[in-house]
Amino acid sequence: MANLGNKLMDRDKHLLFAAFLLMALLHSLNAATTVKFPKLVNETAEASNVSRYEYTVDGRAATASRLGAAGKDIATHLNMSTRSGESATNLTALTWAHAVNSQKELTDALQSDIDMIEADIVMGKINNTGPDMPVMAHPPANSSDISLDSFLQQIKIYNDENAEKMKGVKLDFKSIEVFEGALKTLEAKIPEMTYPIWLNADIISGPVNQNNTIPVDPQRFFAGSSQFPQAVLSIGWTTRWSSDYNNGSYTHQEIDAMVVAIRTNNVTETGQPITFPVRAGIAANSQEELHHLVKAVNGTNNSTLTIWSSQNDYVDVAKLRELIFSFGFDRVYLDVPEELSSQLNLGRTENGGGGNDGNGGSGNGAATSSPALTSLVNFSLISAGLYLFSLYWDKIRL
């Protein structure tokens, strides 16, 4: 009788263990199938998410910031050095809302599935009345229906209420005056942020013979941005390019000017993560120079490229594609029109492998698993678990 009791107790323990194991497996599966920013899946090239160049980062850069792409640690999403053979985060899959410079555009962006909200800031007025303040507008406009303060407050409220769908913010400051005028607002808002914040400015005069736009003063920009170690510094060049240009690059002199600005303004000491916004048509002709740039600063500051393009820019698609693969998908953000994104044919599998993100975006949307796929896999796992348990039960039954 005692042996029978022991067998029953052992059987109950096995039952509980099997149930616990099955629940744990299901929980892991569900977690894995709802990842907002997917691992790279590319069947057209071996290890295409891994750069063929070696970049290393010392300990200072690894602790520079808490959060990366919309709710993930920035060390993962913003340039972790990747060894050959490892899977890496696909930064090219993030989606963008551009020039969100009005209340309607902000409301639409918050209601969409995009990951990053980009907006321009100038000194201007609200509806052409009242005192000058930082408002959301692109030059030559100097009036808006939304201030920077209201813009950031609405995004914070949304992200606080939608932790699983939070959105990052890229603020493009068009002059040093508006950046310094915005510092009090940034000092109040940024410490409360638990999501990505990028501070963008064109601080170096760049291609091609560009002299119409005055760069943002780098010394004053870095002095202000040093107050926000959790912010990503998005620092680039003023550019001149169009559908008529097919020749031009980021020159060694322009690259060196950027490196000098970073080093002389102690950005290497802060260890803040850096992304370099580069214009697609020009970047395609600048592979060697851009690798030199990233290598020059990546020892102290995690760094990436953000490739952007205007609608009618000339772009050598083959060269741009080669550039992206040379860096790896874990080091390149892709913020380009849908037509160019499709021509690049990067082999991504967002939304079941389609080339369009289904949201009217640029075709580089983040992947999410379909309910049908999740249900099917869950059902298969349950069936397999029950089958294995039945075999085990036959073995231990009385």
Side-chain angles (χ1 to χ4, degrees), residues 183-201:
L183 284 177
K184 286 187 177 180
T185 297
L186 298 178
E187 289 167 2
K189 301 298 184 183
I190 290 181
E192 300 177 350
M193 294 182 179
T194 55
Y195 43 92
I197 174 71
W198 291 19
L199 303 178
N200 182 86

Side-chain angles (χ1 to χ4, degrees), residues 37-53 55 69 76-80 82 86-94 291 303-307 320-334 341 344-350 364:
F37 301 108
K39 300 285 187 181
L40 171 70
V41 179
N42 190 310
E43 298 176 354
T44 62
E46 294 183 3
S48 59
N49 59 323
V50 180
S51 173
R52 64 170 178 261
Y53 294 82
Y55 297 110
T76 299
H77 286 283
L78 194 62
N79 321 318
M80 278 293 285
T82 307
E86 290 182 346
S87 60
T89 303
N90 184 1
L91 300 182
T92 70
L94 269 68
H291 277 289
S303 58
T304 54
L305 301 181
T306 298
I307 297 175
L320 183 61
R321 191 171 188 274
E322 181 181 349
L323 173 72
I324 293 170
F325 279 103
S326 76
F327 274 95
F329 287 10
D330 60 328
R331 285 186 176 274
V332 177
Y333 294 92
L334 189 63
S341 179
L344 286 168
N345 189 26
L346 296 178
R348 294 164 297 178
T349 59
E350 59 271 16
N364 55 0

Side-chain angles (χ1 to χ4, degrees), residues 369-376:
S369 297
S370 69
L373 176 61
T374 302
S375 299
L376 178 61

